[in-house]
Amino acid sequence: MKITLKIWRQKNRNTPGEFKTYVMDNVNPDMSFLEMLDVLNEDLMSRGEEPVAFDHDCREGICGMCSLMINGVAHGPKNAITTCQLHMRSFKDGDTITVEPWRASAFPILKDLVVDRSAFDRIIQAGGYISVSTGSAPDANTIPVSKVAADRAMDAAACIGCGACVAACPNGSAMLFTAAKVTHLALLPQGQPERYQRVVNMVAQADFEGFGNCTNIGECAAVCPKEISLDTIAQLNRDLVMAALRGIEPNTPIVPATTR
Ligand code: SF4
Ligand code: FES
């Protein structure tokens, strides 16, 4: 396959970026998208040029690192997969493919296609945990969980923190990510002690990080590789109302965004 790539190149967060064009004449359709970028980088390095920086780790849809906007769609043209699970056979011979980093002010560009998603870590730090007594693990059967609650909690727990939802949202909102984490714990007995403080703290942290508000557009769920449902946002909003009725305010010091 012959593929023309228009790739965003940017030296660092303080310098302006631009699209650079690369023509690849011999792309194997069975390559993954990231393997295709590996081949491009080998070629660039053999010519003494700077390789394209892009994020990746597991390359099997688990870690959430591979964050690429491909032809304007987060994770590319196929539904419910990550960029690393996308193959070149999803494109046609002669195609031009535009590759950009996530675009969101809360995810500043570090280099080329790599963005800083540590804001997600701080949202988790603000409330995405439970408190348990130390000692040996309790017998699982001593904490009954209904099948319905367990299934919904596990569906929410599938979120891999990739940030596609933010990149796709016109508001740059992190609501689907935050709602997935809130819902996962809100539905389980282990998540009850901190339930309402958690939702208040995590939403406050998302606001602090500069993510936008949710206006129910739904682009987030459309691009989510793990098919996290908008129902999680409804769950988050219900818990926020319950927290407000209880008069609960954010109580964690906002973690300074030291990497900005
Ligand atoms: S909700 Fe979906 S798109 Fe957003 S971070 Fe989680 S897995 Fe990625
Ligand atoms: S590299 Fe881990 S999900 Fe794509």
Side-chain angles (χ1 to χ4, degrees), residues 34 56-66 82-84 160:
L34 298 188
H56 59 99
D57 190 2
C58 71
R59 297 200 176 204
E60 53 182 333
I62 296 171
C63 72
M65 292 296 288
C66 54
T82 53
T83 297
C84 60
I160 54 174

Side-chain angles (χ1 to χ4, degrees), residues 23-42:
V23 178
M24 297 182 72
D25 285 319
N26 199 16
V27 173
N28 185 323
D30 294 326
M31 283 176 179
S32 75
F33 199 86
L34 298 188
E35 285 167 342
M36 180 274 294
L37 290 179
D38 290 338
V39 172
L40 171 69
N41 279 344
E42 289 290 336

Side-chain angles (χ1 to χ4, degrees), residues 185-199:
L185 297 176
L187 294 173
L188 295 175
Q190 295 90 336
Q192 299 312 306
E194 292 110 342
R195 178 172 178 176
Y196 298 109
Q197 194 64 61
R198 171 184 306 115
V199 66

Side-chain angles (χ1 to χ4, degrees), residues 4-216:
T4 301
L5 295 167
K6 290 185 183 302
I7 300 183
W8 186 260
R9 302 301 309 262
Q10 185 169 339
K11 201 174 169 60
N12 56 50
R13 72 179 67 183
N14 299 318
T15 52
E18 61 178 343
F19 283 106
K20 289 267 176 69
T21 301
Y22 304 94
V23 178
M24 297 182 72
D25 285 319
N26 199 16
V27 173
N28 185 323
D30 294 326
M31 283 176 179
S32 75
F33 199 86
L34 298 188
E35 285 167 342
M36 180 274 294
L37 290 179
D38 290 338
V39 172
L40 171 69
N41 279 344
E42 289 290 336
D43 185 46
L44 290 176
M45 287 188 288
S46 72
R47 289 189 271 127
E49 294 181 35
E50 181 89 4
V52 178
F54 63 94
D55 250 344
H56 59 99
D57 190 2
C58 71
R59 297 200 176 204
E60 53 182 333
I62 296 171
C63 72
M65 292 296 288
C66 54
S67 45
L68 297 182
M69 193 65 101
I70 300 167
N71 286 343
V73 181
H75 291 303
K78 295 281 184 187
N79 286 343
I81 59 170
T82 53
T83 297
C84 60
Q85 296 172 300
L86 179 66
H87 287 82
M88 295 312 295
R89 55 182 173 266
S90 301
F91 301 91
K92 295 197 300 294
D93 185 30
D95 270 0
T96 297
I97 305 173
T98 305
V99 189
E100 298 172 77
W102 289 166
R103 306 279 189 190
S105 57
F107 289 159
I109 293 175
L110 296 176
K111 183 174 182 176
D112 294 338
L113 303 173
V114 180
V115 301
D116 177 359
R117 285 174 299 162
S118 59
F120 269 12
D121 297 335
R122 292 186 289 273
I123 293 174
I124 293 292
Q125 201 176 338
Y129 54 83
I130 59 168
S131 298
V132 293
S133 303
T134 55
S136 57
D139 184 338
N141 291 335
T142 61
I143 310 175
V145 182
S146 76
K147 175 84 168 82
V148 172
D151 285 351
R152 286 185 60 212
M154 286 306 293
D155 286 349
C159 167
I160 54 174
C162 64
C165 45
V166 175
C169 177
N171 305 330
S173 172
M175 196 56 89
L176 193 66
F177 164 79
T178 309
K181 303 306 177 189
V182 163
T183 299
H184 164 209
L185 297 176
L187 294 173
L188 295 175
Q190 295 90 336
Q192 299 312 306
E194 292 110 342
R195 178 172 178 176
Y196 298 109
Q197 194 64 61
R198 171 184 306 115
V199 66
V200 167
N201 285 357
M202 292 180 82
V203 169
Q205 188 71 29
D207 288 345
F208 173 79
E209 298 290 348
F211 293 106
N213 289 328
C214 174
T215 51
N216 294 322

